[in-house]
Amino acid sequence: SMAIDFYKEVIEQDSDTPKTPLPYYYIIDNLIADHRTKEAAKYLEVCQTLPAYRPFLTPIYQAHIALAEYDEARADAIIAEAARVFSEDSGFLFEAAQYFASKCEYEKAIGFYEASWSAEEDQKPRYTDALHGIALICEIQGEYQKAADTYDRLITCLKEEWGYTKDDAPVKEMEREKQRILQK
């Protein structure tokens, strides 16, 4: 694909002293999407050596590679093992939630989103992606009140942790989402 070729070029131009893992993340994602898992695994090996690389991503990528190889049992086992090692890592917990959401295992996904949110309790202001994930799943499941309540939590975070007011665009946008849900 064009994206894969593009990132291969970016990586080759940067090959003397690779600085950032970002192009590796993009190429690995695209290779996994194409089921080119052997190539993805090779790029993951190099990526793991870069200074800014986050180690919790290794099992996440290995699990997605296993899924792309139609080995869901192995993928789940990789995540389960990693969940013991990275149980306090909000980044891992968030990516594990995304993994289960992608498989439509919504209860597990919500559990990991909540764990990710809690793990950042002492790292304020927190990003609201985990709450957003929960709200989306609640909406998919038709649990509109629970989704609206989750938007309330999100709005509280925007106000108390980020210092936004009710008149600021991020708060207004989440209020609109909440109202949209409540009208279902």
Side-chain angles (χ1 to χ4, degrees), residues 14-162:
D14 195 34
S15 65
D16 295 336
T17 52
K19 293 159 196 67
T20 170
L22 283 177
Y24 288 87
Y25 298 156
Y26 296 133
I27 200 168
I28 293 166
D29 287 339
N30 280 283
L31 288 166
I32 289 170
D34 280 1
H35 297 272
R36 290 162 64 179
T37 54
K38 300 282 177 282
E39 282 178 85
K42 283 199 181 97
Y43 278 101
L44 180 57
E45 275 180 34
V46 179
C47 186
Q48 291 175 54
T49 67
L50 301 182
Y53 180 75
R54 303 176 72 188
F56 74 78
L57 289 171
T58 299
I60 295 292
Y61 277 128
Q62 288 171 337
H64 284 288
I65 287 169
L67 280 185
E69 293 173 347
Y70 308 102
D71 192 344
E72 194 170 343
R74 184 164 56 96
D76 285 350
I78 290 167
I79 294 291
E81 175 58 31
R84 288 193 282 278
V85 179
F86 296 104
S87 60
E88 307 295 312
D89 188 312
S90 64
F92 169 81
L93 296 166
F94 180 82
E95 292 298 336
Q98 299 280 84
Y99 168 83
F100 286 113
S102 75
K103 292 174 52 185
C104 303
E105 292 186 35
Y106 293 134
E107 292 314 311
K108 279 187 182 171
I110 287 175
F112 277 101
Y113 281 131
E114 289 288 5
S116 174
W117 180 249
S118 298
E120 292 187 358
E121 182 61 44
D122 54 358
Q123 301 170 4
K124 294 180 179 177
R126 290 175 281 185
Y127 290 106
T128 55
D129 303 46
L131 293 180
H132 222 161
I134 295 167
L136 291 172
I137 289 175
C138 292
E139 181 177 0
I140 289 167
Q141 293 180 314
E143 295 184 33
Y144 302 126
Q145 187 56 55
K146 195 171 166 192
D149 294 344
T150 306
Y151 279 113
D152 279 336
R153 292 169 65 193
L154 211 157
I155 291 163
T156 299
C157 173
L158 290 173
K159 289 178 177 174
E160 292 180 2
E161 298 183 23
W162 290 93

